[in-house]
Short mmCIF file of all heavy atoms in Angstrom, two decimals:
data_model
loop_
_atom_site.label_atom_id
_atom_site.label_comp_id
_atom_site.label_asym_id
_atom_site.label_seq_id
_atom_site.Cartn_x
_atom_site.Cartn_y
_atom_site.Cartn_z
N MET A 158 9.12 21.28 -3.26
CA MET A 158 8.25 21.33 -2.09
C MET A 158 7.90 22.79 -1.87
O MET A 158 8.81 23.62 -1.81
CB MET A 158 8.98 20.74 -0.87
CG MET A 158 8.14 20.65 0.38
SD MET A 158 6.76 19.48 0.25
CE MET A 158 7.61 17.94 0.55
N GLN A 159 6.63 23.10 -1.78
CA GLN A 159 6.17 24.50 -1.67
C GLN A 159 6.83 25.36 -2.75
O GLN A 159 7.31 26.46 -2.44
CB GLN A 159 6.51 25.12 -0.31
CG GLN A 159 6.39 24.21 0.87
CD GLN A 159 5.07 24.38 1.58
OE1 GLN A 159 4.02 24.59 0.95
NE2 GLN A 159 5.09 24.26 2.89
N LEU A 216 12.58 16.58 2.84
CA LEU A 216 11.14 16.84 2.62
C LEU A 216 10.58 17.62 3.79
O LEU A 216 9.82 18.57 3.62
CB LEU A 216 10.36 15.53 2.47
CG LEU A 216 10.65 14.63 1.27
CD1 LEU A 216 9.74 13.42 1.30
CD2 LEU A 216 10.44 15.39 -0.04
N GLU A 217 10.98 17.21 5.00
CA GLU A 217 10.41 17.83 6.19
C GLU A 217 10.91 19.25 6.42
O GLU A 217 10.20 20.08 6.99
CB GLU A 217 10.68 16.96 7.43
CG GLU A 217 9.67 15.84 7.54
CD GLU A 217 10.07 14.75 8.52
OE1 GLU A 217 11.04 14.96 9.27
OE2 GLU A 217 9.41 13.70 8.52
N LYS A 218 12.11 19.52 5.95
CA LYS A 218 12.69 20.85 6.12
C LYS A 218 11.77 21.88 5.47
O LYS A 218 11.58 22.97 5.99
CB LYS A 218 14.08 20.89 5.48
CG LYS A 218 14.86 22.14 5.80
CD LYS A 218 16.29 22.04 5.32
CE LYS A 218 16.93 23.40 5.29
NZ LYS A 218 17.13 23.93 3.93
N GLU A 219 11.20 21.51 4.33
CA GLU A 219 10.35 22.45 3.60
C GLU A 219 8.86 22.29 3.93
O GLU A 219 8.09 23.21 3.73
CB GLU A 219 10.54 22.27 2.08
CG GLU A 219 11.96 22.43 1.58
CD GLU A 219 12.54 23.83 1.83
OE1 GLU A 219 11.76 24.77 2.05
OE2 GLU A 219 13.78 23.95 1.81
N SER A 220 8.48 21.13 4.39
CA SER A 220 7.04 20.89 4.56
C SER A 220 6.59 20.97 6.01
O SER A 220 5.41 20.91 6.30
CB SER A 220 6.67 19.51 4.00
OG SER A 220 7.25 18.51 4.80
N GLY A 221 7.53 21.11 6.94
CA GLY A 221 7.16 21.19 8.36
C GLY A 221 6.74 19.84 8.88
O GLY A 221 7.45 18.86 8.71
N THR A 222 5.54 19.77 9.44
CA THR A 222 5.14 18.55 10.13
C THR A 222 4.42 17.54 9.23
O THR A 222 4.08 16.46 9.67
CB THR A 222 4.19 18.90 11.30
OG1 THR A 222 3.14 19.69 10.76
CG2 THR A 222 4.92 19.65 12.39
N VAL A 223 4.18 17.93 7.96
CA VAL A 223 3.44 17.02 7.08
C VAL A 223 4.25 15.76 6.82
O VAL A 223 5.41 15.83 6.42
CB VAL A 223 3.10 17.71 5.73
CG1 VAL A 223 2.32 16.77 4.83
CG2 VAL A 223 2.31 18.98 5.98
N GLN A 224 3.64 14.62 7.05
CA GLN A 224 4.35 13.37 6.84
C GLN A 224 4.02 12.79 5.47
O GLN A 224 2.90 12.38 5.21
CB GLN A 224 3.96 12.37 7.94
CG GLN A 224 4.99 11.27 8.06
CD GLN A 224 4.44 10.05 8.78
OE1 GLN A 224 3.24 9.83 8.85
NE2 GLN A 224 5.34 9.24 9.30
N TYR A 225 5.03 12.75 4.62
CA TYR A 225 4.83 12.19 3.28
C TYR A 225 5.20 10.72 3.23
O TYR A 225 4.59 9.95 2.51
CB TYR A 225 5.67 12.96 2.25
CG TYR A 225 5.07 14.30 1.90
CD1 TYR A 225 5.37 15.44 2.64
CD2 TYR A 225 4.18 14.42 0.85
CE1 TYR A 225 4.80 16.67 2.33
CE2 TYR A 225 3.60 15.63 0.53
CZ TYR A 225 3.92 16.76 1.27
OH TYR A 225 3.34 17.96 0.96
#
Side-chain angles (χ1 to χ4, degrees):
M158 184 66 80
Q159 322 263 37
L216 295 181
E217 278 166 11
K218 189 171 164 253
E219 303 298 341
S220 68
T222 53
V223 180
Q224 200 199 22
Y225 284 88

